[in-house]
Amino acid sequence: MKTMSRNEKIKTVAAIIVLMLCEAFFFRNILGNDRLVGNRGDGRLTNLLAEHWWRFFQGKEKFSELLMFYPAQGVLGYTDLLLGHGLIYSVFRLIGMNLYAAYKFALIAMHSMGTASMFYLLKKKLEISVIWSFFGTIAFCCSDTLARHIGHTQLLAVSMLPLLFVFFLGFVQNFECRKKRNIYAYVCILWFALLTYTAWYIAFFTGMFCLVFLLVSAVRLTLVRFSVFKLLKKWMAVLRYDFLGYVLFLVIVYIPFILIYLPVLQSSSGYSYQDMCMYLPEIIDLVNLTDSNFMLGWLMQILSLEDRGYSSEVTEGFSCILLILFFLVAAIHKKGLKKSRKNNMQEPCYGFVTETAFFAVILCLVLIIRLGSNGVSLWAVVYFLMPMARSIRAVARFLLWLSFPMAVITSYYADRYLNKQAIWVILLFISNINRVGVDSRWFEQEALAFIENISAPPEDAGCFYIMDSKKVQDAPYIYQLDAFEIGTRYSLKTMNGYSGQFPAGWEGLWDPCAESYDRSAYKWISTNKLAHVYAYDRATDRWISSEDRMKSQMDEVFLPAENKFSLSSGLEDWNQGEFAWTAKEFMTTINNSKIREHGLKIKILTLLGNYMSQDPNLEPYIKLYVDGKYIRELPVKEGFAEYVIPMQDHDRDEYKVELKTNCYFNPKNIGINEDTRNLSMALYYIGN
């Protein structure tokens, strides 16, 4: 490795200073204020996951368990583990930062680590000149794509890639020196494992690219009749038993990962191929940086690509300058238009490696590009042949990953074949400017104000679920993360939760504003035999015993019908907020001339879960009769149902309506309350 001249040292120091300024520019909209990365959805979730690791290191939480989805087990496996984030985050928590500020600066620190290690990889390990090392670092670390998608903070794990390849190069360059080789090998394995424990997408794409690289290498070597097996035999002769040590170490460090995710994999088949289609990019998406891009935003606005209805995740394209230069320098290299300025370049195999990497990038792009509006793509080959590929929904994120090898290859070839033209760096920087800055849609002070104004739960609280008596109708994930956040604040388990997957039977707890929410909460409590459960009312900041909550709800629901209204011919005027419980057979007479024109409208509430609790072998039905004539059978399901039955052939304005069912439940018998009536349907409306 050559020694840097004084001039090179000055340029390197200057480049480092400029890179620090670039870091400040990249995060310009969140520095010096209380803005946080991402939003109150995924950004807040990953923040709380990082807090989990801080609490784990303090001995307050178990390795694989979170406070949410209680009492489901292994819920950490429902999403990315974010261990790498948690390690850096814990340092900031240790020095006294609150959980929001700590996560913000942990993300900045992780990105800065990626920037520094990328420059080191290019400048020191690959001996690329300062100007082109700077180019490659900006291309990868300060891309517009990363600025916009950093709201999915797990994707910031791409910042770990440069160090991974620094360690791998150290292994290759010290292959003949056993001691150094083994140090680099074990560190490389450990770093890749940490990457896997941090962000599954980034680890998967890393393995995917390496596999494609090996396949392309094998094909190229076979074409020149080079024996791959002889090469492997030669390497194994050097490694001998060290290789077994590598494999054993790899297995050991992945045992916790397998234990966390294996139960999840056994209970889930992953995403369907149809689900993935909206996340497949088209060719135009290779430069689709949305209308917020400084250089090409005007073009994206004209094209109105968002009108296609695809996921916003497809907007993970490359800087047009990087894309142009990537193909330009590869073409120059291929055609040999200009003699290399570095005849004493490192290892002769580097040329083969970079060429193979170039072809691997092209093949990966071909694999993920959507070939038609119906979602046809070669990714189907990966999806059906690689079992782990079914856990990848946002395939377009591979574009973000591919900016890493593209930046390395472009810098490598440009340093050999192009003059040191600073104009390329300037154009690249401009092409990567996002007018807004990094994704930031929530605020530290607002987050602190929310969590600090939550009253403490009762001392006997074992777990809780969130409710909203005012029915504000926030997005369900907001309520779920509010509960997770409150649980974290008070080290209290919550039945609520938000993640990529959910426990079996939990679905009814998703929307606290749904009419069936309280019944679903009660069912979850009774099914899991939970004790000392409280409901937290976000609207009033009150903690309510689940027993008291259920009693108040059931007292309201099971008021005797006669206390509501009488069943008379005026039923068409019922307010839809009122109801009456019916017996198994119900009959009423309606006189309304509009029914012939608009049809007979019926709105009822049926509690299928309660019916089945009363009689597990029940085959439920509800049959409708008008004037003694059988009309149709109404489906029995959980919750509200509304039916409109045509009545054009009826010759009178008076209707005798009958509902007959075998569905009923006794609230006392199934443990709801002390009501001993046999209740069938809650009838809300019948009329035109």
Side-chain angles (χ1 to χ4, degrees), residues 45 97 102 126 154 166 200 207 252 267-268 300 334 339 394 422 435 466 474 500-501 519 571 606 628 651-652:
L45 172 63
M97 284 191 179
L126 297 179
Q154 67 272 27
V166 165
W200 167 243
I252 292 173
S267 62
S268 173
M300 299 300 108
K334 181 66 177 176
K339 186 177 180 181
R435 290 192 180 95
I466 198 166
D474 275 341
Q501 299 188 57
R519 292 194 302 277
L571 287 174
T606 52
D651 57 1
R652 292 181 297 120

Side-chain angles (χ1 to χ4, degrees), residues 71-290:
Q73 300 293 308
V75 298
L76 183 59
Y78 291 170
T79 185
D80 290 309
L81 301 183
L82 290 185
L83 178 57
H85 291 62
L87 289 169
I88 301 175
Y89 169 86
S90 296
V91 174
F92 288 99
R93 289 291 272 148
L94 187 63
I95 63 176
M97 284 191 179
N98 66 60
L99 73 164
Y100 307 109
Y103 195 57
K104 170 180 173 176
F105 286 101
L107 295 176
I108 294 174
M110 177 172 273
H111 184 271
S112 300
M113 175 195 71
T115 299
S117 57
M118 183 67 172
F119 186 77
Y120 177 83
L121 170 66
L122 298 174
K123 180 68 184 69
K124 200 73 174 177
K125 303 300 287 185
L126 297 179
E127 297 186 8
I128 296 173
S129 66
V130 172
I131 191 72
W132 288 112
S133 295
F134 185 76
F135 178 94
T137 303
I138 296 299
F140 173 57
C141 299
C142 297
S143 70
D144 186 350
T145 289
L146 186 56
R148 281 178 294 103
H149 290 279
I150 202 173
H152 300 292
T153 57
Q154 67 272 27
L155 295 182
L156 200 56
V158 295
S159 299
M160 300 173 67
L161 293 177
L163 268 183
L164 178 66
F165 283 87
V166 165
F167 298 144
F168 180 74
L169 277 176
F171 170 79
V172 173
Q173 292 169 344
N174 293 278
F175 194 74
E176 300 298 331
C177 178
R178 185 182 183 190
K179 183 177 180 180
K180 288 186 177 180
R181 179 188 71 215
N182 284 342
I183 291 174
Y184 277 110
Y186 286 112
V187 172
C188 186
I189 292 171
L190 193 61
W191 193 253
F192 182 72
L194 180 60
L195 178 63
T196 309
Y197 279 87
T198 301
W200 167 243
Y201 268 78
I202 305 304
F204 177 87
F205 291 142
T206 303
M208 179 73 192
F209 182 81
C210 290
L211 178 61
V212 172
F213 178 87
L214 291 174
L215 292 175
V216 174
S217 297
V219 170
R220 294 190 70 204
L221 291 172
T222 302
L223 289 176
V224 297
R225 298 185 178 181
F226 184 90
S227 176
V228 177
F229 293 104
K230 285 184 178 180
L231 180 62
L232 291 175
K233 185 177 179 181
K234 179 182 177 181
W235 287 348
M236 291 305 296
V238 176
L239 294 175
R240 295 188 178 181
Y241 297 112
D242 290 343
F243 181 75
L244 294 177
Y246 303 158
V247 174
L248 181 60
F249 183 67
L250 182 69
V251 170
I252 292 173
V253 296
Y254 271 95
I255 287 176
F257 184 83
I258 294 170
L259 292 177
I260 290 172
Y261 280 104
L262 187 59
V264 179
L265 290 173
Q266 290 174 336
S267 62
S268 173
S269 59
Y271 299 105
S272 69
Y273 184 72
Q274 289 70 29
D275 290 337
M276 296 181 183
C277 289
M278 66 181 296
Y279 296 90
L280 294 171
E282 294 181 321
I283 292 179
I284 186 61
D285 292 314
L286 295 181
V287 291
N288 182 5
L289 300 177
T290 76

Side-chain angles (χ1 to χ4, degrees), residues 438-593:
V438 298
D439 182 18
S440 173
R441 287 167 283 163
W442 64 314
F443 303 87
E444 179 184 342
Q445 293 305 315
E446 180 182 331
L448 285 172
F450 169 75
I451 199 63
E452 289 175 355
N453 287 315
I454 303 295
S455 61
E459 292 185 2
D460 67 333
C463 71
F464 80 102
Y465 65 95
I466 198 166
M467 57 168 283
D468 182 4
S469 58
K470 291 186 178 179
K471 307 287 186 187
V472 173
Q473 296 288 345
D474 275 341
Y477 70 85
I478 294 295
Y479 287 107
Q480 301 300 328
L481 287 170
D482 283 350
F484 188 14
E485 201 168 13
I486 294 167
T488 300
R489 170 80 165 82
Y490 289 109
S491 299
L492 182 62
K493 301 282 189 179
T494 176
M495 291 158 45
N496 297 101
Y498 176 61
S499 189
Q501 299 188 57
F502 306 99
W506 180 89
E507 297 79 7
L509 286 167
W510 172 240
D511 185 3
C513 292
E515 293 185 68
S516 61
Y517 179 72
D518 283 294
R519 292 194 302 277
S520 298
Y522 182 78
K523 182 178 180 181
W524 183 264
I525 292 169
S526 59
T527 300
N528 292 285
K529 297 179 172 58
L530 302 181
H532 303 291
V533 181
Y534 281 81
Y536 174 73
D537 187 358
R538 196 187 69 172
T540 60
D541 187 35
R542 290 177 58 236
W543 295 87
I544 308 166
S545 164
S546 63
E547 291 84 357
D548 292 341
R549 173 64 183 164
M550 288 303 159
K551 186 177 185 302
S552 67
Q553 288 295 294
M554 294 309 172
D555 284 347
E556 178 182 338
V557 171
F558 297 113
L559 279 176
E562 60 269 23
N563 289 355
K564 282 286 187 179
F565 46 80
S566 59
L567 304 179
S568 67
S569 60
L571 287 174
E572 67 271 16
D573 298 321
W574 287 0
N575 182 299
Q576 294 193 33
E578 298 177 326
F579 63 88
W581 282 105
T582 74
K584 287 185 180 181
E585 294 190 6
F586 163 79
M587 182 181 70
T588 188
T589 301
I590 300 175
N591 195 314
N592 191 317
S593 60

